[in-house]
Amino acid sequence: MELPQLEAPRVADTSFEGDYVAFSPAGVPGKGEFCCVACGYGAVVRCELPPCPMCGEQLWERAAWSPFRRASRTG
């Protein structure tokens, strides 16, 4: 009996340089700050991404990170 050949795992192509935005669907593991793609609601996630509590959208994108963002809030 011959066993089927397994394919190599697929890896995301990270060589693209440009204005590419990766979206993450609800239900996948995530850690960090995310924004809802539909309404812009921001959430800090430490486990799996939920559906957006404001509009019910299922897609998220990573929030733009800046080392000065929090410092500018304290005025």
Side-chain angles (χ1 to χ4, degrees):
M1 180 168 131
E2 189 173 319
L3 297 175
Q5 290 289 79
L6 298 177
E7 292 182 22
R10 294 180 185 179
V11 178
D13 181 12
T14 58
S15 64
F16 182 84
E17 295 192 23
D19 293 332
Y20 175 76
V21 176
F23 296 110
S24 301
V28 299
K31 184 176 182 181
E33 295 182 44
F34 292 84
C35 290
C36 173
V37 298
C39 70
Y41 180 80
V44 176
V45 179
R46 293 196 176 122
C47 51
E48 73 178 33
L49 291 165
C52 177
M54 296 301 284
C55 70
E57 176 63 50
Q58 299 285 319
L59 287 177
W60 296 88
E61 66 179 321
R62 284 223 176 255
W65 182 84
S66 168
F68 305 109
R69 183 177 56 194
R70 291 183 190 225
S72 66
R73 289 184 195 167
T74 59

